[in-house]
């Protein structure tokens, strides 16, 4: 077929090593797959892939891109599978065709302008390989060329999508040929009246315009030749859509009032000559102030380079002039595609040039990027750090690449996150640990009874979601501290209490909740509350029903200050203090136990059990009593047991001491008494084998900062 031959010839021109036979095979395969199918125009379907391949061969794209163009609709529209393509054309082509099929499945349904940029980014992210994007642009361009065979509504929606999504992508990739044709075609379908008017008046005035154009072309060429500068001067009339936009911007309704319809390009051999030419032209025709731009020194984000100026040319009418080198020109026309066209021809391209190209790429996509292997494999996904997903209503959400369903849920709304009980991705229920992929449609299932769990932090990577989950727990924790504080106060006093503001202020609290939170967190003690209340309003203090120390050592284990202790409320009594190893502590549900600090009261004494073993010697008991008295310690109770046998007796005493340290000195003194064999503190439990275990909940509330 001659059609495909012209394409393979083009390909060979740019890529001498290309396997043309393989391209022929792809053509035959596609023709076979699409046989019998026709387009809306009535033409055989295969015409479309051939024309897409032609556009790409004109851009100088490589062999795999051409093959992908030929095959691009087979998986979607025929019985051909990706496996078939893999077997016949290899992994690279399969990836490209698959990428193209995926991009084809994204359809722009949201009409919101703010979503347009996200939608473009989603297409970039889905494409993964830049060549996928280029084939997609060529595909869309050919569809635009044949759009008149479709119904009007379809024409409008495709033209809108092209204008909003694909033409800007072509612009961003620097492919101006495609961008301009897409814009003009979209314009003709979206604003048919304006399009007709504009093209008609351009045609009417074209005689004069063309005359002007060629005249100025000759003049400029002559001037430069005189200066000994080797340059190519090309005039062109601007494309319709850009004229239309300019007129709209300036509020003009008539083409006659536009004075820069013609633009000139001057292409020279090297960079310094660009500035030389600029100087020559400005010396002959006066420049329009404020119109000079140096895109060589400061390239556009898409990599475009040129000098731009406007001059008052013939008859003082304005003309735009762009000055650039041959390679800048190639890039301006074909953008990214120029990379493939030059890749094999221009083998001496330096590392630095490659790096510049890479930098342009990354600037263009406005992403941070590690240079790495990008140039080698053209993978867009290596430098796109985001994932683009849809809500059920078709809105696009941008999330980090590792995002999971909860990230999405919290992104929609904090309440959606808090009440999430499940998630459907593309209609299928999935785990919370599932990583979201480009183009996924996500539906969060909620229930008013659901609340966050700490596990969720494992399934959320965005700071927004993680913060919301942590915040929820902070609020919950505060609530439980307040609740605990209320319970402590109520149990201690035997009634519900609301303290006056003056008392709250003295304790640096804004309200009762604040005070109860502090109490619950042990930042303030019940004692302090009662002492403060007493100082402020003694009557209140009496009402509270306490006049004594609120911490009462339990009689079962008889703790003394300095012992490791925990406390438990007894309504109307206070906090009963137990030794941490007390049987009662280990037998109780740990949640009820409070971590208390207990230093004891100054000038108070606490009872401790002490056991003495001694030989039955005359006056033993008297000597013991004297020793205890010498330590200024009262004996509350004393029992003597002489049944131990072997002339040994056991003495159990209840001594009043200030603290553990005080007791230790008493015991040391007792050991020195003549006849005493041992003296030790006595518990109703064995020390120290029991360890108090506390629940996580308890720790969170009481062991802050740990
Ligand atoms: Mn197609």
């Amino acid at each position: 077929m001659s059609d495909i031959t012209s394409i393979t010839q083009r390909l060979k021109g740019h890529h001498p090593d290309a396997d043309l036979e393989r391209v022929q095979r792809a053509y035959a395969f596609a023709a076979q797959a699409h046989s019998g199918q026709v387009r809306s125009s009535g033409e055989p379907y295969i015409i479309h892939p051939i024309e897409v391949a032609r556009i790409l061969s004109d851009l100088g794209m490589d062999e795999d891109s051409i093959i992908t163009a030929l095959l691009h609709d087979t998986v979607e529209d025929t019985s051909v599978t990706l496996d078939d393509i893999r077997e016949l054309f290899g992994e690279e082509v399969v990836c490209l065709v698959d990428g193209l099929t995926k991009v084809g499945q994204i359809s722009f349904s949201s009409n919101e302008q703010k979503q347009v940029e996200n939608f473009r980014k989603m297409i970039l992210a889905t494409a993964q390989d830049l060549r996928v994007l280029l084939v997609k642009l060529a595909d869309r361009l050919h569809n635009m060329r044949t759009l008149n065979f479709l119904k009007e509504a379809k024409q409008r929606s495709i033209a809108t999508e092209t204008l909003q999504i694909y033409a800007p992508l072509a612009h961003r990739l620097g492919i101006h040929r495609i961008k301009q044709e897409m814009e003009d075609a979209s314009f003709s379908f979206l604003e048919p009246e304006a399009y007709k008017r504009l093209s008609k008046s351009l045609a009417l005035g074209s005689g004069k315009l063309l005359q002007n154009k060629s005249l100025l072309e000759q003049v400029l060429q002559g001037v430069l030749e005189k200066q000994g500068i080797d340059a190519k001067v090309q005039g062109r009339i601007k494309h319709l859509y850009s004229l239309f936009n300019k007129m709209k911007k300036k509020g003009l309704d008539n083409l006659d009032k536009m004075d820069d319809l013609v633009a000139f390009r001057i292409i020279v051999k090297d960079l310094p000559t660009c500035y030389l030419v600029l100087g020559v032209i400005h010396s002959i025709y006066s420049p329009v102030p404020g119109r000079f731009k140096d895109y060589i020194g400061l390239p556009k984000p898409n990599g475009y380079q040129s000098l731009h100026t406007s001059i008052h040319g013939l008859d003082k009418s304005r003309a735009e002039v762009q000055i650039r080198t041959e390679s800048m020109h190639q890039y301006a026309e074909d953008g990214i595609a120029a990379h493939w066209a030059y890749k094999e021809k221009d083998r001496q391209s330096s590392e630095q040039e490659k790096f510049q190209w890479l930098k342009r790429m990354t600037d263009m996509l406005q992403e941070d990027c590690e240079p790495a292997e990008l140039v080698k494999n053209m993978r867009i996904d290596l430098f796109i750090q985001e994932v683009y997903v849809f809500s059920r209503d078709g809105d696009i959400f941008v999330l980090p690449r590792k995002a999971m369903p909860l990230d999405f849920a919290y992104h929609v709304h904090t309440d959606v996150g808090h009440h999430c009980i499940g998630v459907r991705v593309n209609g299928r229920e999935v785990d919370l640990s599932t990583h979201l992929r480009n183009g996924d449609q996500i539906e969060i299932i909620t229930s008013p009874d659901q609340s966050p769990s700490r596990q969720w932090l494992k399934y959320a990577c965005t700071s927004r979601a993680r913060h919301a989950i942590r915040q929820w727990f902070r609020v919950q924790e505060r609530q439980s501290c307040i609740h605990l504080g209320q319970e402590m106060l109520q149990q201690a006093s035997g009634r519900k209490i609301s303290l006056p503001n003056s008392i709250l202020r003295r304790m640096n609290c804004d309200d009762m909740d604040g005070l109860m939170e502090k109490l619950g967190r042990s930042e303030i003690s019940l004692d302090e509350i009662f002492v403060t209340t007493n100082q402020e309003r003694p009557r209140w203090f009496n009402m509270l029903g306490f006049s004594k120390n609120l911490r009462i050592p339990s009689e079962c284990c008889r703790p003394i200050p300095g012992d490791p202790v925990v406390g438990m409320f007894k309504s109307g009594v206070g906090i009963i203090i137990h030794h941490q190893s007390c049987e009662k502590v280990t037998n109780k549900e740990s949640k009820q136990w409070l971590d208390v600090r207990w230093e004891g009261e100054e000038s108070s004494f606490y009872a401790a059990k002490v056991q003495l073993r001694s030989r039955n010697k005359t006056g033993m008991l008297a000597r013991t009593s004297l020793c205890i008295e010498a330590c200024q310690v009262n004996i509350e109770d004393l029992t003597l047991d002489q049944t131990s046998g072997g002339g040994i007796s056991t003495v159990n005493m209840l001594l009043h001491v200030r603290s553990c340290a005080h007791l230790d000195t008493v015991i040391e003194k007792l050991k020195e008494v003549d006849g005493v064999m041992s003296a030790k503190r006595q518990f109703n439990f064995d020390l120290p084998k029991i360890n108090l275990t506390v629940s996580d909940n308890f720790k969170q509330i009481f062991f802050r900062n740990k």
Side-chain angles (χ1 to χ4, degrees):
M1 256 285 225
S2 63
D3 270 327
I4 192 68
T5 311
S6 62
I7 292 169
T8 51
Q9 287 315 314
R10 240 6 243 214
L11 173 62
K12 202 174 171 60
H14 283 291
H15 305 272
D17 300 337
D19 182 351
L20 302 187
E21 196 265 332
R22 190 163 163 254
V23 178
Q24 293 278 2
R25 266 197 293 129
Y27 161 67
F29 181 81
Q32 174 68 32
H34 288 297
S35 70
Q37 293 178 349
V38 286
R39 304 196 83 215
S40 306
S41 59
E43 290 175 316
Y45 195 91
I46 188 67
I47 300 279
H48 167 63
I50 288 178
E51 289 309 310
V52 176
R54 187 187 312 285
I55 293 166
L56 291 165
S57 71
D58 286 346
L59 284 173
M61 293 300 294
D62 68 353
E63 178 187 327
D64 281 341
S65 304
I66 305 290
I67 291 175
T68 303
L70 291 168
L71 302 176
H72 81 271
D73 279 331
T74 55
V75 175
E76 191 78 351
D77 298 342
T78 77
S79 58
V80 170
T81 66
L82 287 174
D83 285 338
D84 297 337
I85 292 174
R86 182 178 292 109
E87 201 176 307
L88 289 165
F89 301 102
E91 197 56 46
E92 189 115 348
V93 171
V94 137
C95 284
L96 297 175
V97 172
D98 187 34
L100 214 62
T101 308
K102 280 184 184 139
V103 171
Q105 282 160 353
I106 305 172
S107 73
F108 186 55
S109 54
S110 170
N111 283 322
E112 285 189 76
Q113 194 62 33
K114 66 176 170 131
Q115 296 275 306
V116 166
E117 179 55 28
N118 281 341
F119 194 83
R120 283 183 214 128
K121 283 187 180 171
M122 181 161 73
I123 285 173
L124 279 171
T126 308
Q128 298 200 326
D129 188 305
L130 274 174
R131 289 172 297 180
V132 169
L133 207 59
L134 288 158
V135 179
K136 181 67 198 173
L137 290 174
D139 178 29
R140 177 53 62 106
L141 181 62
H142 185 247
N143 285 337
M144 287 306 295
R145 285 177 183 171
T146 52
L147 199 61
N148 52 331
F149 297 104
L150 299 186
K151 292 216 176 78
E152 200 196 321
K154 193 87 184 155
Q155 288 176 346
R156 291 192 70 86
S157 81
I158 292 178
T160 304
E161 192 183 64
T162 302
L163 199 58
Q164 294 196 323
I165 309 293
Y166 290 101
L169 276 178
H171 170 74
R172 213 173 280 189
L173 294 171
I175 314 169
H176 281 97
R177 292 195 226 178
I178 289 184
K179 178 210 167 195
Q180 290 182 1
E181 193 181 336
M182 278 181 171
E183 283 182 347
D184 278 356
S186 302
F187 176 39
S188 74
F189 288 102
L190 293 172
E191 309 254 6
E193 292 309 314
Y195 180 84
K196 268 182 222 147
R197 223 181 317 125
L198 198 58
S199 45
K200 206 169 149 195
S201 60
L202 202 61
L204 282 176
S206 71
K208 193 174 170 248
L209 272 176
L210 287 172
Q211 214 181 352
N212 256 345
K213 182 181 84 108
S214 44
L215 197 57
L216 193 56
E217 252 174 22
Q218 283 172 20
V219 172
L220 288 173
Q221 191 80 58
V223 164
L224 294 173
E225 263 166 32
K226 235 193 220 159
Q227 299 285 327
I229 298 170
D230 187 9
K232 211 161 60 189
V233 181
Q234 290 174 348
R236 73 190 165 93
I237 296 165
K238 286 183 178 171
H239 82 287
L240 283 175
Y241 187 65
S242 79
L243 288 176
F244 174 68
N245 272 342
K246 273 210 173 126
M247 285 167 70
K248 233 169 46 178
K249 218 159 103 186
K250 294 182 176 172
L252 301 176
D253 54 354
N254 194 328
L255 206 58
D256 296 341
K257 293 172 190 155
M258 291 274 292
D259 54 3
D260 46 0
L261 300 177
V262 186
F264 292 87
R265 276 188 199 127
I266 301 173
I267 294 158
V268 298
K269 65 178 194 327
D270 58 22
L271 194 146
T273 313
C274 293
Y275 292 95
L276 194 62
V277 167
L278 180 77
V280 170
I281 287 176
H282 278 181
S283 70
I284 297 169
Y285 296 110
S286 58
V288 179
R291 295 297 298 273
F292 170 66
K293 297 213 173 67
D294 182 355
Y295 292 122
I296 291 178
L298 291 166
K300 285 189 181 179
N302 68 5
Y304 175 87
Q305 286 186 298
S306 262
L307 298 178
H308 284 195
T309 187
S310 281
I311 53 169
H312 296 289
L314 303 171
D315 308 331
K316 295 291 164 210
S317 71
R318 283 186 188 191
E320 265 185 27
V321 180
Q322 300 168 348
I323 306 160
R324 50 175 79 144
T325 67
E326 182 62 49
S327 70
M328 288 175 196
H329 180 60
Q330 197 67 45
Y331 191 87
E333 292 291 290
D334 296 346
I336 289 294
H339 171 77
W340 278 273
Y342 281 117
K343 205 159 67 168
E344 289 177 37
K345 265 198 204 163
D346 185 18
R347 295 216 183 259
Q348 70 267 39
S349 76
S350 67
E351 280 305 305
Q352 200 196 346
E353 274 173 47
K354 273 188 191 169
F355 185 76
Q356 274 179 357
W357 182 83
L358 174 69
K359 194 178 169 306
R360 280 185 220 137
M361 282 281 300
T362 51
D363 286 353
M364 178 181 77
L365 294 158
Q366 297 161 355
E367 292 290 343
D368 298 331
C369 167
E370 296 195 9
E373 297 284 273
L374 185 68
V375 173
K376 239 188 219 167
N377 56 23
M378 302 301 138
R379 290 187 65 83
I380 298 173
D381 59 339
L382 289 181
F383 57 92
I384 289 193
Q385 299 301 319
E386 285 144 0
V387 62
Y388 301 85
V389 296
F390 289 110
S391 71
R392 205 178 47 180
D393 303 332
D395 285 331
I396 302 170
F397 286 79
V398 187
L399 296 165
R401 242 169 107 177
K402 292 269 180 229
M404 288 169 274
L406 281 172
D407 292 311
F408 175 82
Y410 277 102
H411 211 80
V412 173
H413 196 278
T414 308
D415 281 340
V416 174
H418 284 345
H419 297 122
C420 169
I421 53 165
V423 60
R424 285 194 203 102
V425 171
N426 304 324
R428 257 188 47 232
E429 216 161 306
V430 301
D431 273 13
L432 289 182
S433 60
T434 308
H435 288 288
L436 304 180
R437 291 170 314 173
N438 278 308
D440 277 349
Q441 197 193 48
I442 310 196
E443 189 186 339
I444 298 293
I445 309 158
T446 58
S447 155
D449 300 332
Q450 176 72 322
S451 61
S453 101
R454 281 190 189 271
Q455 291 290 312
W456 283 14
L457 288 169
K458 275 198 229 160
Y459 306 125
C461 72
T462 56
S463 53
R464 185 166 177 167
R466 297 178 68 81
H467 179 259
I469 295 168
R470 289 212 187 89
Q471 187 63 30
W472 190 88
F473 280 106
R474 263 195 291 277
V475 171
Q476 295 309 303
E477 193 210 355
R478 177 166 191 261
Q479 285 306 321
S480 64
C481 285
I482 291 172
H483 184 74
L484 201 77
Q486 287 167 343
E487 212 164 298
M488 284 164 79
L489 187 64
Q490 197 181 332
Q491 289 204 16
S493 64
R495 79 197 79 183
K496 251 200 151 98
I497 290 167
S498 188
L499 295 170
N501 281 337
S502 56
I503 296 177
L504 292 172
R505 267 199 302 278
R506 278 180 75 119
M507 286 177 288
N508 296 320
C509 295
D510 295 334
D511 52 21
M512 203 58 196
D513 275 358
L515 180 65
M516 290 304 97
E517 184 188 354
K518 277 191 178 178
L519 180 61
R521 289 185 192 278
S522 301
E523 284 172 8
I524 197 167
S525 69
L526 273 171
D527 302 8
E528 280 171 72
I529 294 175
F530 292 136
V531 168
T532 311
T533 308
N534 187 32
Q535 286 164 353
E536 176 77 21
R537 295 190 188 181
R539 207 167 57 80
W540 265 86
F541 181 75
N542 290 335
M543 263 177 65
L544 296 175
F546 287 101
S547 56
K548 56 178 177 169
N549 183 10
L550 275 167
R551 289 167 209 235
I552 300 144
S554 160
E555 288 183 14
C556 55
C557 51
R558 296 209 180 274
I560 55 178
D563 279 340
V565 293
V566 288
M568 182 180 283
F569 281 110
K570 194 167 173 191
S571 188
V573 176
I575 306 169
I576 310 296
I577 305 292
H578 290 260
H579 195 285
Q580 271 192 13
S581 307
C582 176
E583 275 176 1
K584 290 203 174 165
V585 176
T586 56
N587 289 346
K588 289 269 166 64
E589 262 295 301
S590 52
K591 269 186 193 170
Q592 301 179 17
W593 295 98
L594 308 171
D595 179 44
V596 289
R597 239 163 289 131
W598 183 49
E599 271 120 34
E601 296 284 297
E602 250 179 79
S603 76
S604 283
F605 289 87
Y606 301 89
K609 279 196 214 170
V610 174
Q611 189 178 66
L612 217 65
R613 284 163 64 76
S614 63
R615 288 188 196 86
N616 292 334
K617 277 186 158 183
T618 325
M620 227 295 299
L621 206 54
R623 282 197 297 281
T624 304
S625 306
L626 276 171
C627 169
I628 292 169
E629 207 187 322
C631 296
Q632 295 182 326
V633 167
N634 282 334
I635 302 173
E636 184 182 317
D637 191 19
L638 186 148
T639 55
L640 183 66
D641 177 10
Q642 284 183 318
T643 59
S644 316
I648 291 171
S649 48
T650 305
V651 184
N652 287 311
M653 298 179 291
L654 207 53
L655 303 180
H656 282 186
V657 295
R658 288 178 198 280
S659 64
C660 283
H662 188 200
L663 180 63
D664 287 345
T665 49
V666 177
I667 287 175
E668 288 312 307
K669 285 269 188 292
L670 283 171
K671 283 178 182 168
E672 289 167 14
V673 170
D674 187 22
V676 170
M677 294 158 65
S678 72
K680 61 174 185 191
R681 185 164 170 203
Q682 190 75 7
F683 295 92
N684 61 344
F685 50 85
D686 295 324
L687 278 178
K689 76 178 177 199
I690 304 161
N691 265 324
L692 178 70
T693 54
V694 287
S695 74
D696 283 348
N697 186 29
F698 180 77
K699 275 184 194 157
Q700 273 164 32
I701 294 168
F702 290 103
F703 296 83
R704 284 169 308 104
N705 311 323
K706 279 181 194 171

